[in-house]
Amino acid sequence: RSGLESLVVMASSAGRIISRCRVNDCVDQAEQSVPLSQVIGVRLASEPARPVRVYFIGVGLTGADLDPGRVIAEASGGDVLGTSVDDLATVVRIFSGYN
């Protein structure tokens, strides 16, 4: 395993576990192609010694690919937010309350 599946367990929006995922091309257990935008992060692939939560702030222009960060954050029980550079200071203040 060398793709996103090495970090997180994922499922398709239909509920089938993703067996492999490279860039935006994921494949579920039924060997059906699933776009990463329709993949849900279920849990981390291995249980860490201490709880880990990922809070992903995606900053990008139109066309930025935020899905990998979203999937990892979902799998860890964290949160995700997409923003523009202009609103970044506000978003950082919002997320600074998380411990």
Side-chain angles (χ1 to χ4, degrees), residues 11-78:
S12 67
S13 55
R16 290 189 293 266
I17 295 296
I18 299 296
S19 56
R20 62 186 180 278
C21 199
R22 303 291 182 275
V23 188
N24 284 321
D25 180 32
C26 301
V27 177
D28 67 19
Q29 289 176 319
E31 293 298 314
Q32 297 295 309
S33 181
V34 180
L36 189 55
S37 62
Q38 295 178 16
V39 169
I40 301 159
V42 175
R43 65 176 171 78
L44 298 175
S46 59
E47 191 66 34
R50 295 179 185 251
V52 172
R53 286 214 168 101
V54 174
Y55 295 91
F56 177 72
I57 301 172
V59 181
L61 303 172
T62 302
D65 186 4
L66 306 180
D67 285 322
R70 174 190 57 77
V71 169
I72 294 168
E74 287 173 348
S76 73

